[in-house]
Structures are given as structure tokens and as C-alpha cells.
Amino acid sequence: MTPRRGRPVLSLRDVGVRYRGGDGAMVDALADVTLDLVAGEMIGIFGPSGCGKTTLLMAAGLLETITSGSVRFAGTAAATIVDDAALRDFRRRHIGFVFQKPNLVPFLTAVENVALAMVIDGVPRAAAERRAMGLLAVLDMAHRAGNHPARLSGGEQQRVAVARALANDPILLLADEPTAALDSRRGRQVMELLLAIARQRLAAIAVVTHDPRSMDLFDRVVEMEDGRVVAGNASSAR
Ligand SMILES: Nc1ncnc2c1ncn2[C@@H]1O[C@H](COP(=O)(O)OP(=O)(O)O)[C@@H](O)[C@H]1O
Ligand SMILES: [Mg+2]
């Protein structure tokens, strides 16, 4: 999959995710969500707590089984990837995730944290750490590469988590409130880095956030309510 700016990366069509709630009643965590993401763009997803933002990212990242509609990923219908191992492999090759908490392995250094998935994947350690160092340098973290997470600030830890998410050179990066634990300056820096990644690597990036201060960085903003997209262009695809 060679990225090209504007090339469709992700297409959700009328996607629904229905859960059985605690009282046995069915809950539509997502309903009729149609959304397109193209290479090189970064969109923001806003909405009150419980409106389905995380569920949307999980559906887009093929981590959630949808109950209606369809998901296409760079032209491949997700429904055609049937077994769990194939789905896992597909995610591992194409998708990066950044969560609210960096969740770094505490006893590994920054560079080891970034290299870990590559090493597990069979990349020789030296090569994996070289690549990890390159990613940390992009995130302006090379000088902190030898530190353990406890010796890094929250913003630095989150930058390590972003580097880790980029290790497989994903064409889709999904970030769930990645700056929620950061002060506004650090949060802004992480958002600016994500935008630079979208532009330079032609990744498609979707960021769930509550922070209106990063609004100007998004190519598009999607607003959700009660499992639905209620405002914002569903697509910038031409
Ligand atoms: N695994 C689950 N089982 C049952 N209900 C769930 C599950 N995950 C999420 N929900 C429900 O789906 C709705 C959307 O949740 P979520 O996507 O986490 O919202 P947000 O990220 O916007 O806060 C909520 O009503 C939530 O309680
Ligand atoms: Mg959430």
C-alpha cells in the first residue's frame, strides 16, 4: 500500500455497533456512522462522554466487531478478513494506536519500548533499536532514549507512545484522547507532531479529543452525539 495524498484509507458506511447493556437492553454505541479518511489528513472527533467516540475508533481500527454497515480499509472490505489471526496481522501491519495513557513497559527504556513490537515481530534487536532511535529523533526524543518511563515527563512518555505507534509505519493512526493527561503546551506539541506525521508520512489520522485548543490543527472536525455523527463533513474525499 503506497500512500498518496488524498488516497482513501478508511471508509465507514452506515456502521452500527450494538451492545447488550447491564439491564439486558440493547445499546447502540454507534448508529449509521458514515465516515471517510484519506491519506495525509488529520481529523478531530469531538463529543460528550459516552457518545461512542472510543467505539468509533475501535471499529475503524478493526478492534470492534460491527453489527451493521461496512468498513473498507485501503480498498479491502474488513468483512473479508475473517479469522482473528489474519485480522491481527492486518492491524499490526497497517494501523497504529495511541491511547490516553502511554502504557509504556516500566522496566524498558524509551528506545526499548519503541523497539519492543518490532523485536517480538522478529526484527533483529539492533535493527529494531536503530529504527526506534530514528522515530524518537523525529519526535525530538533522541536525547531521552535511554531513560525509563519513570524518568520521563508525561509529555515525553506520550511522545514515546507516538513513536511506538509509528513503528510499523501505519497508514492509519488512531488516537483516543492522547493529550488528556498533558498540560496545554505539551498537548499542543503532541497534536502538532501528529499533524506533521499525517503530512510527511501521508498517514490518515483520527484523533478523539476534548481539547478545543487544538481545533485549528484538524483538517475536519466530526461531532458525535448518542452514537451518531451529528456535525462535520463525513468526507473530504474527492
Ligand atoms: N463493551 C461494552 N459493553 C457494553 N456497552 C458498552 C461497551 N463499550 C461501550 N459501551 C457503551 O457504548 C456507549 C459508547 O461508549 P464509548 O464509545 O466508550 O464512548 P466515549 O468514548 O465517547 O466516551 C456508552 O453508552 C457505553 O456505555
Ligand atoms: Mg472514550
Side-chain angles (χ1 to χ4, degrees):
M1 295 186 191
T2 317
R4 199 178 64 233
R5 184 131 194 215
R7 183 183 195 273
V9 169
L10 183 75
S11 306
L12 305 187
R13 287 291 171 277
D14 305 316
V15 168
V17 172
R18 175 170 281 196
Y19 293 118
R20 186 176 293 280
D23 56 0
M26 303 309 283
V27 176
D28 286 314
L30 281 189
D32 300 328
V33 170
T34 288
L35 183 70
D36 286 292
L37 264 177
V38 302
E41 77 171 343
M42 179 163 88
I43 72 161
I45 300 170
F46 287 73
S49 183
C51 73
K53 303 182 298 297
T54 295
T55 306
L56 173 57
L57 285 195
M58 294 298 124
L62 314 182
L63 280 168
E64 182 72 73
T65 307
I66 63 175
T67 37
S68 54
S70 66
V71 178
R72 288 185 81 79
F73 195 100
T76 300
T80 62
I81 313 170
V82 282
D83 72 292
D84 285 351
L87 206 53
R88 205 160 41 238
D89 186 60
F90 191 85
R91 273 198 307 267
R92 197 173 46 77
R93 279 188 293 137
H94 301 304
I95 307 176
F97 294 91
V98 179
F99 301 99
Q100 183 173 339
K101 291 190 186 143
N103 293 322
L104 302 177
V105 181
F107 52 82
L108 297 180
T109 63
V111 68
E112 288 166 346
N113 265 284
V114 176
L116 181 62
M118 291 184 271
V119 172
I120 290 172
D121 226 22
V123 177
R125 181 173 296 275
E129 293 196 356
R130 251 197 322 276
R131 174 161 171 76
M133 278 303 294
L135 290 166
L136 286 171
V138 169
L139 296 169
D140 200 17
M141 280 291 291
H143 62 299
R144 309 292 276 150
N147 284 70
H148 289 84
R151 292 299 179 107
L152 300 172
S153 72
E156 289 173 335
Q157 289 184 36
Q158 197 57 299
R159 281 188 280 163
V160 174
V162 172
R164 180 183 56 191
L166 294 176
N168 59 350
D169 211 4
I171 58 170
L172 176 65
L173 188 68
L174 301 167
D176 199 352
E177 307 196 29
T179 62
L182 306 180
D183 65 45
S184 61
R185 194 172 63 88
R186 289 297 186 190
R188 175 96 192 164
Q189 280 176 358
V190 168
M191 286 295 194
E192 285 173 346
L193 278 167
L194 291 176
L195 180 60
I197 287 157
R199 296 295 195 260
Q200 287 160 19
R201 295 172 172 257
L202 297 181
I205 304 188
V207 185
V208 166
T209 180
H210 286 292
D211 189 353
R213 286 169 299 195
S214 43
M215 198 79 102
D216 60 302
L217 297 175
F218 297 119
D219 294 308
R220 283 185 291 139
V221 167
V222 165
E223 268 179 64
M224 293 185 69
E225 218 169 273
D226 295 333
R228 293 171 186 273
V229 172
V230 292
N233 299 328
S235 173
S236 67
R238 281 162 290 274

